[in-house]
């Protein structure tokens, strides 16, 4: 898609100021493509240079993370926290531990988080952090020492009213535990609201573990309802086999669908009888092993090493692994094979070419910043419970999550209509998220 001529120079400036950060460029471009018509209705946003300001992080922190591995060797990683925008609340967003992490990845994630968090309707700004540390193959002790070293720098930048990190790829309950423990030790404060995704015994919220996957599935359910359809009897493919993927598969089953394939970075499993989720949980959450082990238990299931999961015919596709996992060709294949809905559990899993294929085919396409907002929304619910030292029941919290996802869907749907792009959830999500943050920025003056 073309960028409006008023917005084009802003995009050029972003490219010039942030050389080499291709994922960040991609995320910015996707939002900026939607904003032309917004400046027509809201000339004040141009006067106040809101787009220019929102593309520049408020603060970027990069730090050394030294630690000692089990063999006694000193290791050095790089840590990041990008505090992107605090117009709507404290910076909020996860931390990613993965060897692919560099500033461009953290900035794309932090940028998307502004709009995603705005869409939740809850008081949270946008931020993201992480490290190029690879938890794969590391012992518990190594992960602990790394997390302690990471927090020894990070603690001075975060706080329940400042910046509230959580998990993302490579950061789950175990890592949040080590990080919280070190924060508590250094600061001498039992400050529950400083991190979310905490354990249930020490300030965590029920449903936070399930929230991203459940939320993405609720979002797709809403898109299907608009088309007088439902998950009942649908064949689904869910990429990945981590936290988002697992709870997406669980909710799909509860809503009457069947997931026939899931994956990891080495290959995918095809099980025509439907993926046995208890086995996936055992392999991934308990044993921390690779998904190919699934086919050792079930002889009827096929493991395709190095294969492309998007070759598997399905009616609903839920990419829940990582960025740019669906390219233009994959998207074409999905549409040809009869896919009618795509809900992104991962952040930016579809390339711009892939998005174009979905939009042209007019299938129901729910972009990540809307569809996967249930995770961070439930983090905000965890913050609410922490603030009043309360804990809610599973059913109540899940109902809150479902209502939030319904509202996000309705907001995106109505905004797309209002701006002349009916059914286009990309336009709807970008514009609705942007306007909310932009209005607050105008109110605060030039800061
Ligand atoms: N990492 C998740 C996301 O991409 C959750 C962030 C959070 O809970 O703060 O939205």
């Amino acid at each position: 898609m073309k960028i409006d001529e008023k917005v084009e120079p802003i995009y050029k400036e972003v490219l010039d100021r942030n050389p080499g950060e291709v994922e960040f460029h991609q995320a910015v471009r996707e939002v900026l493509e939607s904003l032309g018509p917004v400046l027509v209705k809201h000339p004040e946003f141009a006067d106040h240079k809101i787009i220019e300001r929102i593309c520049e992080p408020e603060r970027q922190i990069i730090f050394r993370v030294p630690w000692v591995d089990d063999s006694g060797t000193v290791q050095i990683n790089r840590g990041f926290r990008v505090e992107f925008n605090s117009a709507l609340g404290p910076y909020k967003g996860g931390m990613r531990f993965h060897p692919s992490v560099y500033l461009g990845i953290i900035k794309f994630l932090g940028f998307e988080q502004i709009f995603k968090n705005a869409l939740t309707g809850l008081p949270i700004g946008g931020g993201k952090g992480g490290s190029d540390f690879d938890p794969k193959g590391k012992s518990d002790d190594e992960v602990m020492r790394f997390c302690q070293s990471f927090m020894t720098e990070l603690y001075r930048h975060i706080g329940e009213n400042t910046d509230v990190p959580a998990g993302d790829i490579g950061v789950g309950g175990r890592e949040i535990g080590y990080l919280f423990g070190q924060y508590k030790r250094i600061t001498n404060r039992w400050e529950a609201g400083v991190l979310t995704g905490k354990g249930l015994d020490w300030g965590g919220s029920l449903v936070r573990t399930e929230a991203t996957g459940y939320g993405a599935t609720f979002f797709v359910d809403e898109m299907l309802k608009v088309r007088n359809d439902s998950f009942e009897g649908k064949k689904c493919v869910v990429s990945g086999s981590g936290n988002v993927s697992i709870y997406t598969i669980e909710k799909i089953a509860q809503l009457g669908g069947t997931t026939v394939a899931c994956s990891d970075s080495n290959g995918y499993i095809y099980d025509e009888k439907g993926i046995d989720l208890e086995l996936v949980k055992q392999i991934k959450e308990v044993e921390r092993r690779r998904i190919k082990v699934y086919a050792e238990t079930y002889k009827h299931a096929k493991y395709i090493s190095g294969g492309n999961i998007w070759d598997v015919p399905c009616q609903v596709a839920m990419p829940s692994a990582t960025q740019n996992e669906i390219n233009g060709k994959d998207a074409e294949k999905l549409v040809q094979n009869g896919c009618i809905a795509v809900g992104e559990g991962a952040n930016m899993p579809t390339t711009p070419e892939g998005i174009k294929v979905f939009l042209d085919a007019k299938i129901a396409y729910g972009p990540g910043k809307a569809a996967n907002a249930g995770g961070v929304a439930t983090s905000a619910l965890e913050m609410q419970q922490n603030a009043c030292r309360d804990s809610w029941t599973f059913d109540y919290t899940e109902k809150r999550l479902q209502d939030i996802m319904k509202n996000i869907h309705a907001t995106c749907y109505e905004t797309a209509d209002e701006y002349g792009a009916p059914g286009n959830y990309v336009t709807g999500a970008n514009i609705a998220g942007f306007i909310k943050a932009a209005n607050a920025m105008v109110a605060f003056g030039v800061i």
Side-chain angles (χ1 to χ4, degrees):
M1 237 179 94
K2 260 181 64 73
I3 302 191
D4 184 274
E5 56 181 24
K6 286 187 290 303
V7 184
E8 183 70 44
I10 307 175
Y11 181 62
K12 287 235 160 63
E13 174 95 16
V14 169
L15 294 181
D16 288 347
R17 296 184 95 172
N18 305 280
E21 297 173 2
V22 288
E23 296 83 1
F24 178 52
H25 302 163
Q26 183 184 335
V28 169
R29 186 178 173 111
E30 191 230 272
V31 172
L32 264 45
E33 281 174 355
S34 304
L35 297 185
V38 178
L39 293 185
V40 177
K41 280 200 188 182
H42 294 273
E44 73 277 15
F45 294 159
D47 297 342
H48 289 88
K49 294 235 165 46
I50 297 298
I51 305 180
E52 289 88 333
R53 276 197 269 159
I54 216 165
C55 290
E56 182 68 16
E58 290 175 12
R59 190 177 298 111
Q60 308 183 55
I61 302 145
I62 305 182
F63 51 98
R64 179 172 68 197
V65 190
W67 56 283
V68 180
D69 70 17
D70 287 346
S71 74
T73 308
V74 176
Q75 301 283 346
I76 317 286
N77 285 98
R78 186 172 286 180
F80 301 89
R81 187 73 188 166
V82 173
E83 298 181 333
F84 224 116
N85 193 289
S86 59
L88 296 175
Y91 308 106
K92 182 82 199 84
M95 288 178 301
R96 176 175 294 191
F97 291 172
H98 191 271
S100 65
V101 164
Y102 75 107
L103 189 58
I105 294 275
I106 301 299
K107 276 164 72 175
F108 114 65
L109 291 163
F111 183 74
E112 290 227 310
Q113 203 84 45
I114 305 169
F115 309 100
K116 182 196 305 196
N117 294 5
L119 284 171
T120 67
L122 297 163
I124 40 179
K128 202 84 185 193
S131 174
D132 55 3
F133 173 75
D134 186 0
K136 219 182 276 166
K138 303 286 191 300
S139 69
D140 275 359
D141 281 352
E142 288 176 324
V143 170
M144 179 182 75
R145 288 195 294 273
F146 174 81
C147 288
Q148 290 175 341
S149 179
F150 187 89
M151 185 52 86
T152 302
E153 172 59 35
L154 187 69
Y155 87 96
R156 67 187 87 245
H157 307 291
I158 62 176
E160 61 185 350
N161 296 314
T162 311
D163 183 357
V164 183
D168 195 82
I169 293 171
V171 179
R174 174 181 61 170
E175 290 74 17
I176 294 293
Y178 295 145
L179 291 162
F180 187 77
Q182 184 72 351
Y183 182 86
K184 181 176 83 62
R185 187 181 190 197
I186 298 174
T187 60
N188 194 30
R189 282 166 65 92
W190 210 105
E191 186 186 333
V194 69
L195 291 173
T196 60
K198 297 182 295 297
L200 297 176
D201 296 326
W202 41 279
S205 170
L206 286 162
V207 193
R208 177 62 191 90
T209 307
E210 294 84 354
T212 311
Y214 278 20
T217 314
F218 287 142
F219 191 91
V220 172
D221 196 39
E222 291 300 307
M223 294 198 297
L224 291 170
K225 271 188 209 151
V226 168
R227 294 165 180 241
N228 293 317
D229 209 339
S230 77
F231 266 105
E232 201 57 55
K234 294 281 182 305
K235 203 191 245 195
C236 308
V237 167
V238 180
S239 64
S241 48
N243 165 271
V244 178
S245 177
I246 285 174
Y247 294 98
T248 297
I249 298 172
E250 186 162 285
K251 186 52 77 180
I252 287 173
Q254 288 171 13
L255 296 180
T258 304
T259 302
V260 293
C262 68
S263 61
D264 63 20
S265 52
N266 296 114
Y268 72 87
I269 289 288
Y270 176 72
D271 185 344
E272 61 180 359
K273 295 190 182 160
I275 295 287
D276 176 352
L277 195 58
E278 289 317 306
L279 180 58
V280 176
K281 284 185 185 173
Q282 176 67 24
I283 295 168
K284 300 301 294 186
E285 292 181 339
V286 182
E287 298 169 16
R288 295 183 188 273
R289 293 170 75 197
R290 307 302 292 168
I291 199 68
K292 70 168 181 228
V293 175
Y294 186 99
E296 288 167 15
T297 304
Y298 286 121
K299 296 296 171 216
H300 69 268
K302 284 202 232 2
Y303 173 67
I304 295 90
S305 174
N308 185 348
I309 192 170
W310 308 118
D311 291 341
V312 178
C314 64
Q315 290 146 303
V316 178
M318 299 198 55
S320 308
T322 194
Q323 67 273 356
N324 292 328
E325 54 169 307
I326 298 182
N327 62 27
K329 286 217 160 56
D330 300 329
E332 273 165 20
K333 189 79 181 240
L334 280 164
V335 172
Q336 274 161 20
N337 282 340
C339 179
I340 56 160
V342 176
E344 296 184 337
N347 290 313
M348 207 170 75
T350 310
T351 65
E353 297 75 30
I355 295 175
K356 186 170 183 315
V357 171
F358 292 147
L359 293 178
D360 287 351
K362 297 211 176 313
I363 67 166
Y365 168 61
K369 64 171 81 67
N372 74 37
V376 74
T378 308
S379 277
L381 301 182
E382 184 173 329
M383 291 162 72
Q384 278 186 37
Q385 293 168 79
N386 293 155
C388 53
R389 301 184 193 278
D390 195 3
S391 51
W392 305 340
T393 63
F394 191 96
D395 288 350
Y396 175 74
T397 317
E398 189 186 15
K399 177 80 178 58
R400 292 282 306 258
L401 167 64
Q402 187 167 13
D403 288 345
I404 290 167
M405 296 315 297
K406 279 189 182 172
N407 281 334
I408 295 175
H409 174 273
T411 302
C412 296
Y413 189 82
E414 286 157 17
T415 308
D417 248 3
E418 188 190 331
Y419 281 83
N424 184 333
Y425 293 95
V426 178
T427 304
N430 287 339
I431 294 181
F434 174 81
I435 289 180
K436 187 138 200 245
N439 281 335
M441 290 171 74
V442 170
F444 296 158
V446 180
I447 55 166

